[in-house]
Structures are given as structure tokens and as C-alpha cells.
Amino acid sequence: MLVALPPRAPRLGLVERLSYGFGDFGYSLPYNMVGAFLLYYYTVVLRLPVAAVGTIFLTARLFDAVVDLGVGVLLDRTRSRWGRARPYILFTSVPYAVVFVAIFLVPGGSVNAQLAWAFVTFNLLGLLMSFGSIPYTALLPMMTADTDQRLKLGSMRSIGTSISVILGTAATMPLVGLLGAGDERRGFLLTALLFAVLALGAMLALFRNCRERHVGDADAAPAPAPTAIGEMLRNRAWWVCFLFTLLYFVRFGAMLSVTAFFAIEVLKRPWMISVMLPAISGMLLLAAFVAPPILSRTGIRGGSLGALGVSLLLFALLPFAEASPIAFLALYLAASMATSITITAIFTMIAESVDYHQARFGSRNEGLLSAGVSLATKIGMALGSAAIAYALAYAAYAPGAVTPAAVQTIRWAYYGAPLLLLSLQALCILFWPSRKTMG
């Protein structure tokens, strides 16, 4: 008796996988440059008041939190000739690139006029980022239902992410100096223009080369927003993904914020800043190639637990290597490599949580589920950075007059926070549903 086998998922070609991965390069490159250098540009180059700039940044983050869920709900109701996610990518790519350049085109005039320009352009960039990046994230589960291919797409996205971070942070100031020829304002504008062209090319390639193949019932009426959100909050896989992502980015935000203080005040080696910060992106790039075969063999839960266990051990050994820069950096790089494997896992978990949602509730809601995880990223980064700032304030940290108590606070923040957050991530991933329950 012959038994019909289920059709195999179509294999995704290299061009499509590359286009998907470098979609993150397109969205992240402008945002990374803005995140790393906009405060410097506003306060040092333009001489805008730092308190007012801080208020602009804070209100923009609160605005993003509201917009993200709205974009997710809207995406799940979208039907078009290009699909559900791809039209957002097409129609936001050019405005996103233009607004990014406009951020560095602050006109002359009064301080209030410049602050108004900064407020409008920065919030517009965040709005367009939400309308583009959330559909981009939702596109992955629409491209394929095969876990191994999703791991490969997640790996490609990790590559795009890491290259955007390296270029957006390490290359910005050299390019500002080269293109500006001593005029930082001109240098920032020309660097933004260059990055905008690169980002636009990546976003348009994403739209052109990627396809939506696995979208469920295109004619099914979407559930009302309150119902859809209620179902999302009863989705166990989504909760694990949300909390796992939140904990990762709390740690990531804290590490980015505290590393400079740690290298200067604890290690007494400021030169290590230029090694330790780029190393995070470098290890993310390397892990993008290592993670798929590991996670494919071990599964999301087993592979993530193994990576977190290795990272916990290496972080616990770091305090004993403070006297040796080589030993310290070797342990640090290995720990960063291990934790970076979980980023590929996160990208795949988002897609798997959509399948779990469909198995439980009969609808996919890729947009809403992706928006919720996007929110975890933003909240995590904000909490991590704020926690370090509050810790330094509590220890009465003052440059040039650093007390032993402040040094100990920095040391505890650097070692203790990762150990706690990595342990919580390990606990969280234990609740990841088995493949049998994914539908």
C-alpha cells in the first residue's frame, strides 16, 4: 500500500536567503548610526541642550511602543497583490532612507526650530522603522514552514545585523572625518547619504527577491484586535520568545552601556573598549555560520541551553582573568560567541511561535506576534541602559573622582548582571514547547 508523503517545502535559493538576511542590514544600518552618534551630533556638533535632546529620545521610545502593536494588527489585516508584508517594505523603503538623511539636515536658525526639526525627523524615522521592520520580521514565517530553512534565514539575518552594527558604529567616525574634511556637520550628512543609499539597495532587494509562500488562508477574516491580542497573550511559545528576547536585550543594553566604564575604571585599560565593543558584532557574525547546524541537531531548546551554559561558565571565569588582557579577551570572545548563537534561535523562535499560534487558535497573526517581539527588543535595550545609569548614580560615580564603592558597583554590574540574566534566559527556554505541539 502506497502512502502519500507530505510535499517538501521548496528550498530557498541563495539570492533569496541573502536578500532576506541583508534586509536587516537595510533597516539596521541607519538606526545603528543614529543610535550610536545622534546624541553626539545633536549636543556636540549642533550644540543643542542635552536635556531637551534626552526628552526627544524618551518620547520617541514611548511613541514606538504604541506604534509597534498597531502596525502588527494592521499587517494581519493587509491583503494586496504583493502579499501581506512585502508592500510595507516597498512603500516605506524610500521614505525611510530620505528621513534618515533629513535627520542630519537640521536647518540653521533658533534652537527651538532646530529642536522641532529633530523631534519631527527622529519620530518619523522610528515610525517608518516600525512600518518596515515589523513586516520584515513577519516575512520569515511566510517564506517557508521548514525549520531548517528558517534557521538558515535566521543565520543570514544575523549576518546582516552584525555587518550593520560594525559599519554603523566602527566606520561612522572615520567616514565623518574623511568625507567632512574637518567639517563634522558636513561629514555626518555625507556619511548618512552614503549609508542611506546602501540601506535602500538592501531594502529594495528584500522586496524584489523574497516571496510569501506560507500565509495560511488569505481569505479568512482577521479576528478583532482585542481578540487577537488576547490570543497572543495565551500563546505559550510567544511568551517564551518574548521573555527570552527581552532578557537578551536587557543584558545587551547593559553590556554596551557599562563596558567603557568597566575597561577604564576596573581593568584600567581604556584601549580594550575598542576591542570589546566591536567584538560583540564580530562574534554575532561568526555565530551566524555556526548556529544553524548546532540548532538543527539539538533543537531550539537544547541548543540554546547549551550555549547559555557555556556562556555562564565563561562569564564566571572572567573575574579571575582581569590581570591578563589576553586571557580576559579570550574568555570574553568565547562567551560572546556562545550567547550570539541564541540570536539565530530568537529569529527562528519568532517564526515557530506563529505555527504554534495557528495550531492553537487557527490564525497566524504574523504581524502582531512579530510586533510584540519587536517591543521586547526596544524595552530590553531601554531597561538595560537605564539600569546601568541608575547603578552609577546610586554609587555617586563622578569622572575624575571615582570612589572604591563606584568601582565595585561597576564590577558587580559587569559580572553580576550577565550571570543573572543568562540564568533567567536558561530558565525561560525550558518552557519552549516541543516540536510535537507546534502543529
Side-chain angles (χ1 to χ4, degrees), residues 314-328:
L314 294 172
F315 264 105
L317 293 174
L318 275 177
F320 303 101
E322 284 185 5
S324 172
I326 294 177
F328 187 93

Side-chain angles (χ1 to χ4, degrees), residues 52-75:
V53 172
T55 301
I56 290 173
F57 288 173
L58 176 61
T59 55
R61 290 291 171 264
L62 295 174
F63 180 59
D64 284 349
V66 176
V67 168
D68 280 3
L69 291 179
V71 172
V73 171
L74 183 62
L75 173 61

Side-chain angles (χ1 to χ4, degrees), residues 22-183:
F22 277 81
D24 200 295
F25 173 86
Y27 286 110
S28 296
L29 179 58
Y31 221 68
N32 285 329
M33 179 183 171
V34 164
F37 298 105
L38 194 58
L39 179 61
Y40 174 88
Y41 176 77
Y42 281 159
T43 59
V44 177
V45 177
L46 298 184
R47 306 283 182 172
L48 297 178
V50 66
V53 172
T55 301
I56 290 173
F57 288 173
L58 176 61
T59 55
R61 290 291 171 264
L62 295 174
F63 180 59
D64 284 349
V66 176
V67 168
D68 280 3
L69 291 179
V71 172
V73 171
L74 183 62
L75 173 61
D76 290 326
R77 284 154 174 72
T78 298
R79 305 290 186 274
S80 79
R81 54 184 274 196
W82 297 289
R84 295 184 183 179
R86 293 173 65 243
Y88 291 93
I89 295 167
L90 174 63
F91 292 113
T92 61
S93 57
V94 172
Y96 184 64
V98 170
V99 171
F100 170 54
V101 175
I103 280 181
F104 297 95
L105 265 175
V106 180
S110 68
V111 169
N112 286 338
Q114 291 182 320
L115 287 172
W117 181 276
F119 177 83
V120 171
T121 54
F122 187 69
N123 274 278
L124 271 178
L125 187 74
L127 178 67
L128 290 166
M129 175 70 166
S130 295
F131 269 93
S133 64
I134 290 172
Y136 166 61
T137 298
L139 180 62
L140 192 153
M142 297 179 186
M143 291 173 66
T144 177
D146 184 77
T147 299
D148 287 342
Q149 293 189 63
R150 285 175 173 177
L151 285 169
K152 291 177 181 178
L153 289 172
S155 171
M156 285 294 184
R157 181 170 180 177
S158 295
I159 294 172
T161 300
S162 59
I163 294 176
S164 74
V165 174
I166 293 170
L167 189 59
T169 57
T172 294
M173 291 311 293
L175 284 171
V176 168
L178 177 65
L179 299 176
D183 183 347

Side-chain angles (χ1 to χ4, degrees), residues 322-339:
E322 284 185 5
S324 172
I326 294 177
F328 187 93
L329 287 174
L331 290 170
Y332 175 80
L333 290 173
S336 297
M337 172 71 176
T339 56

Side-chain angles (χ1 to χ4, degrees), residues 86-425:
R86 293 173 65 243
Y88 291 93
I89 295 167
L90 174 63
F91 292 113
T92 61
S93 57
V94 172
Y96 184 64
V98 170
V99 171
F100 170 54
V101 175
I103 280 181
F104 297 95
L105 265 175
V106 180
S110 68
V111 169
N112 286 338
Q114 291 182 320
L115 287 172
W117 181 276
F119 177 83
V120 171
T121 54
F122 187 69
N123 274 278
L124 271 178
L125 187 74
L127 178 67
L128 290 166
M129 175 70 166
S130 295
F131 269 93
S133 64
I134 290 172
Y136 166 61
T137 298
L139 180 62
L140 192 153
M142 297 179 186
M143 291 173 66
T144 177
D146 184 77
T147 299
D148 287 342
Q149 293 189 63
R150 285 175 173 177
L151 285 169
K152 291 177 181 178
L153 289 172
S155 171
M156 285 294 184
R157 181 170 180 177
S158 295
I159 294 172
T161 300
S162 59
I163 294 176
S164 74
V165 174
I166 293 170
L167 189 59
T169 57
T172 294
M173 291 311 293
L175 284 171
V176 168
L178 177 65
L179 299 176
D183 183 347
E184 282 196 319
R185 188 165 183 172
R186 179 173 180 268
F188 270 106
L189 176 60
L190 293 178
T191 301
L193 184 60
L194 172 62
F195 285 177
V197 171
L198 295 175
L200 180 60
M203 289 183 287
L204 292 177
L206 170 68
F207 168 79
R208 182 179 184 277
N209 297 322
C210 295
R211 293 290 177 268
E212 299 178 16
R213 302 178 180 86
H214 187 59
V215 294
D217 186 358
D219 296 324
T227 301
I229 293 173
E231 290 175 348
M232 179 181 73
L233 296 178
R234 299 197 305 276
N235 181 332
R236 172 179 159 187
W238 180 86
W239 267 114
V240 174
C241 184
F242 176 87
L243 294 173
F244 193 80
T245 304
L246 178 70
L247 292 166
Y248 179 94
F249 281 98
V250 170
R251 182 184 59 80
F252 186 72
M255 292 293 286
L256 286 182
S257 299
V258 79
T259 293
F261 298 98
F262 179 79
I264 295 169
E265 306 297 352
V266 177
L267 298 179
K268 305 297 183 184
R269 297 182 180 92
W271 62 268
M272 291 179 70
I273 300 171
S274 60
V275 178
M276 295 167 70
L277 286 179
I280 297 175
S281 300
M283 291 303 100
L284 181 61
L285 179 60
L286 184 58
F289 296 98
V290 175
I294 293 175
L295 295 172
S296 181
R297 289 186 176 215
T298 61
I300 297 293
R301 181 165 50 191
S304 297
L305 277 173
L308 292 168
V310 170
S311 188
L312 274 166
L313 175 62
L314 294 172
F315 264 105
L317 293 174
L318 275 177
F320 303 101
E322 284 185 5
S324 172
I326 294 177
F328 187 93
L329 287 174
L331 290 170
Y332 175 80
L333 290 173
S336 297
M337 172 71 176
T339 56
S340 293
I341 290 175
T342 62
I343 278 290
T344 297
I346 285 172
F347 293 147
T348 309
M349 288 165 66
I350 297 171
E352 298 285 290
S353 68
V354 173
D355 292 343
Y356 185 85
H357 196 89
Q358 185 176 30
R360 279 211 61 191
F361 304 109
S363 59
R364 294 181 62 77
N365 288 357
E366 295 99 336
L368 182 61
L369 299 178
S370 298
V373 177
S374 171
L375 190 59
T377 301
K378 295 175 180 178
I379 293 174
M381 287 288 289
L383 289 176
S385 301
I388 296 302
Y390 292 144
L392 292 175
Y394 177 79
Y397 173 84
V402 182
T403 64
V407 173
Q408 282 300 103
T409 298
I410 293 170
R411 178 179 274 112
W412 275 106
Y414 189 84
Y415 294 130
L419 290 173
L420 173 63
L421 292 165
L422 289 168
S423 298
L424 291 174
Q425 273 191 281

